[in-house]
Amino acid sequence: MYNIKLNSYTPQPNPATSDRIVAAHYYPAWKKGAAGLHEGFDDLAEDFPDRTPLMGYYDEENPEVCDWEIKWAVEHGINCFIYCWYRMPENVGKPVTVKDLRCGHGLHEALFNAKFQKFMKFAIMFEADPRWGGTDETDIVENLMPFWMENYFKRENYLIIDNKPVIFVYQQRRLENECFKSVQSQRESFDACREYAKRFGFDGLIFAVCNAGADKKAHDELMERGYDFRFGYNSGYNSPCDFYSDEDAIINGQCKIFQNNLSIDNTAFIPTPACFQDPTPRFTKRWNDLGYRYRQWSNIWYLSPEKYKELLKKLKEITDTLPEDAWARKIMMIDNWNEWDEGHFVAPSHKFGFKYLQAIREVLTECNNLPDYILPHDQGFDGYNKSWKTPDFSDVCEKKLKEKIIKINKNIATY
């Protein structure tokens, strides 16, 4: 049945049921030229073929690509994508338009035109890194909130809890050092945003901050600044260690980080189980030429899909013991859907197939569905790669087939 088109479009998703929000971080940088700081799939082709997505290299702005991602995600329990949201620096203090965004295609071109978007919740993570635009007491209410409200919060599939849209924030340090004048001014600004949301029928807003450090003083200040809970872009397990190849130690390390944070406040921190960490492809000449010195880890670690499943089980067991009002009873984050070059992803790949997704489904859902593992190329859906100079799926398969034939011939000759 290879390359026989039995469907006219991506088959409709058959979602699994979960008792919580399972939200995967989503890095929308896979449109040609969109990332700016790296070359996307072109950085991976020669030296990292194992990181080839199972659908092949793709143009992320294509809504049909997004529909395949939605299908694979929701059939394995991931029911929310948290999109990194970047604003260009020159836009601060001005009304926001889609043209003022970096990587805005992930939402505005792909998700918002996807046929299956109703199956997937989404939220934004405001990136306040110094490379991108920050905000201030006036700008956040007069420019950011109107754009977020009209483009995101009003959509039926935006992540809303207790009638409050959820906003995730990355790089709080930039906000406290450069953007807001004081702890009080940040809280007042957030409260003003909550009042703005009430004018549109919401009961306020929920602000979450990326901070996985188990420091009580820092935690207390973040709560004073107006945040509702903390999270990590990954588990927080990023430091070089002597046991990076010991998977059980990695599992225990991630669980310990979560428990240390719970010891500070067992209601205001959520877990982010991480599958592996290997950012080697990010260290490109272009990246360094731009003057950015991305942190390098001397010891790169991996959790096999089987060990990742153990980690998920342990973290779920911990969350199930928490108070009913704990945020970790409502949300578990996944690190990460598609950080292909930064080296942490659960999306289907040539190296791991669907194994990480299967681990998520088996632990975090009722397993009350049958995922469809038919790939796009199996049904004749090709042409998702119109931009990249790197090979598409058929080229990768042909190369692998030739390598296997050469290996077989060598074995026959040796025999």
Side-chain angles (χ1 to χ4, degrees), residues 4 23 33 37 104 126 135 138 177 182 189 195 205 209 213 227 234 267 277 299 301 314-315 331 345 363 372 375:
I4 299 175
L37 301 180
F126 174 40
T135 190
T138 301
N177 293 333
S182 65
S189 298
E195 291 302 314
L205 291 174
V209 60
Y227 290 105
N234 50 41
T267 65
Q277 182 75 55
N299 296 327
W301 58 268
K314 289 191 175 185
L315 290 175
I331 306 176
F345 51 86
V363 177
D372 180 359
L375 298 177

Side-chain angles (χ1 to χ4, degrees), residues 202-269:
F202 295 108
D203 292 331
L205 291 174
I206 294 168
F207 285 94
V209 60
C210 185
N211 178 288
D215 183 298
K216 187 177 188 309
K217 181 179 179 181
H219 168 81
D220 291 344
E221 181 178 314
L222 289 169
M223 297 302 105
E224 290 176 12
R225 287 181 175 274
Y227 290 105
D228 295 277
F229 66 90
R230 295 186 295 119
F231 67 95
Y233 190 63
N234 50 41
S235 68
Y237 187 83
N238 289 329
S239 300
C241 56
D242 296 330
F243 43 77
Y244 65 95
S245 61
D246 185 333
E247 292 188 287
D248 290 321
I250 294 169
I251 291 173
N252 293 333
Q254 293 196 47
C255 289
K256 184 176 181 180
I257 290 170
F258 181 45
Q259 290 173 318
N260 287 344
N261 277 286
L262 293 178
S263 68
I264 294 172
D265 185 336
N266 66 353
T267 65
F269 186 77

Side-chain angles (χ1 to χ4, degrees), residues 3-11 55 64 68 374-385 393:
N3 205 30
I4 299 175
K5 188 172 287 189
L6 300 179
N7 297 286
S8 60
Y9 193 74
T10 310
M55 76 165 73
E64 194 169 331
W68 281 105
I374 295 176
L375 298 177
H377 55 277
D378 293 335
Q379 297 257 307
F381 293 104
D382 288 317
Y384 296 145
N385 174 13
F393 184 87

Side-chain angles (χ1 to χ4, degrees), residues 215-343:
D215 183 298
K216 187 177 188 309
K217 181 179 179 181
H219 168 81
D220 291 344
E221 181 178 314
L222 289 169
M223 297 302 105
E224 290 176 12
R225 287 181 175 274
Y227 290 105
D228 295 277
F229 66 90
R230 295 186 295 119
F231 67 95
Y233 190 63
N234 50 41
S235 68
Y237 187 83
N238 289 329
S239 300
C241 56
D242 296 330
F243 43 77
Y244 65 95
S245 61
D246 185 333
E247 292 188 287
D248 290 321
I250 294 169
I251 291 173
N252 293 333
Q254 293 196 47
C255 289
K256 184 176 181 180
I257 290 170
F258 181 45
Q259 290 173 318
N260 287 344
N261 277 286
L262 293 178
S263 68
I264 294 172
D265 185 336
N266 66 353
T267 65
F269 186 77
I270 65 175
T272 307
C275 50
F276 47 84
Q277 182 75 55
D278 185 353
T280 306
R282 276 284 176 94
F283 307 138
T284 61
K285 182 178 185 301
R286 173 172 170 75
W287 182 270
N288 290 328
D289 286 348
L290 287 169
Y292 301 121
R293 296 293 179 264
Y294 200 82
R295 179 183 176 185
Q296 298 190 37
W297 291 274
S298 58
N299 296 327
I300 306 302
W301 58 268
Y302 282 85
L303 282 181
S304 66
E306 294 75 20
K307 289 296 184 178
Y308 185 63
K309 182 178 178 180
E310 288 185 27
L311 172 64
L312 291 168
K313 282 182 177 179
K314 289 191 175 185
L315 290 175
K316 184 178 184 299
E317 288 172 359
I318 296 171
T319 61
D320 287 346
T321 66
L322 296 176
E324 289 293 331
D325 62 341
W327 284 102
R329 291 289 294 268
K330 302 175 183 178
I331 306 176
M332 182 176 288
M333 286 187 166
I334 298 296
D335 171 32
N336 181 289
W337 179 256
N338 61 343
E339 283 276 19
W340 298 108
D341 63 339
E342 199 174 71

Side-chain angles (χ1 to χ4, degrees), residues 33 64 72 76 103 115 198 230 379 385 401:
E64 194 169 331
W72 290 332
H76 293 86
C103 297
K115 290 185 178 181
K198 290 178 182 179
R230 295 186 295 119
Q379 297 257 307
N385 174 13
L401 180 59

